[in-house]
Amino acid sequence: RLDAEYVSNNLPQLDLACGTKMTQSHAIARYGAKLQPMSGVMPAHYVADLYPTNAVSAMIVDEAIAIVDQILLLTPKDADAETRAKNRIDYQTSGFLRVGLEILEGRITKAGGPFILGKHISLADLYVRAPLCDLFELGQFEGVAPEFLDAFPKVRACGKAVLEHPLLKTYHEHYK
């Protein structure tokens, strides 16, 4: 299986120079966040510790990424539209959508914001931006009003701060 052209028959897949083929977006994202520039000259947009080396900070980042995943995974997907609509109302009033956003809001508040780890952007903040904030801001969260995110101003501010960070500005300049 590991020698197949596409190991999992799906994307993403990262083919490393050593021949190893990696699947799974989180593993690839953590790998990318740990990379260091090859030369001694750091690009202006380089962010050290995008995935933290400090164990507690890394755990907080992993928790935030898992929360975003769980929000997506647990979103009601019932085939019946009426049932799905009812379950999505429950999901936002007392379900994990609310619980997960409350946890993220608390982490950002405790760290002093605007990011999960305070003033330092991390891989977790990229996940807060996309897909989480995008779901609301682009009106893609069926059955959940975009204004729902307004109840979590620190999460919304985190998503906005990510877009304003030099790392993302440079990315958008080069990959439109």
Side-chain angles (χ1 to χ4, degrees):
R1 184 85 234 161
L2 293 179
D3 293 326
E5 182 177 4
Y6 295 102
V7 175
S8 67
N9 294 330
N10 290 304
L11 295 176
Q13 177 172 303
L14 176 64
D15 297 342
L16 300 174
C18 65
T20 300
K21 297 176 181 179
M22 293 303 302
T23 66
Q24 303 307 311
S25 60
H26 296 323
I28 294 168
R30 283 186 185 94
Y31 167 80
K34 292 177 183 180
L35 289 177
Q36 307 255 338
M38 298 286 251
S39 69
V41 179
M42 302 294 182
H45 63 278
Y46 174 72
V47 177
D49 278 343
L50 195 57
Y51 186 79
T53 54
N54 174 280
V56 173
S57 295
M59 185 169 53
I60 291 168
V61 165
D62 288 340
E63 176 194 50
I65 292 169
I67 286 169
V68 172
D69 273 354
Q70 198 168 4
I71 286 171
L72 299 175
L73 180 67
L74 296 177
T75 297
K77 298 168 186 72
D78 305 270
D80 177 67
E82 190 174 312
T83 302
R84 184 173 60 247
K86 182 213 172 291
N87 288 339
R88 287 204 177 181
I89 289 169
D90 294 343
Y91 190 53
Q92 63 190 294
T93 55
S94 61
F96 194 77
L97 177 57
R98 176 163 299 280
V99 171
L101 285 168
E102 286 173 352
I103 294 168
L104 294 174
E105 185 79 6
R107 292 281 183 227
I108 297 166
T109 300
K110 187 171 182 177
F115 302 114
I116 295 284
L117 297 177
K119 304 255 181 266
H120 187 79
I121 193 170
S122 72
L123 186 59
D125 304 299
L126 302 180
Y127 280 84
V128 166
R129 174 68 245 164
L132 189 60
C133 287
D134 281 353
L135 283 172
F136 294 99
E137 293 173 10
L138 300 174
Q140 296 175 336
F141 211 140
E142 177 194 344
V144 180
E147 299 78 31
F148 179 75
L149 193 57
D150 293 341
F152 307 95
K154 301 288 187 185
V155 173
R156 186 180 286 283
C158 176
K160 185 175 185 226
V162 167
L163 291 177
E164 295 168 355
H165 192 278
L167 177 66
L168 268 287
K169 285 185 174 185
T170 301
Y171 172 82
H172 287 294
E173 286 172 14
H174 294 293
Y175 302 100
K176 290 184 179 187

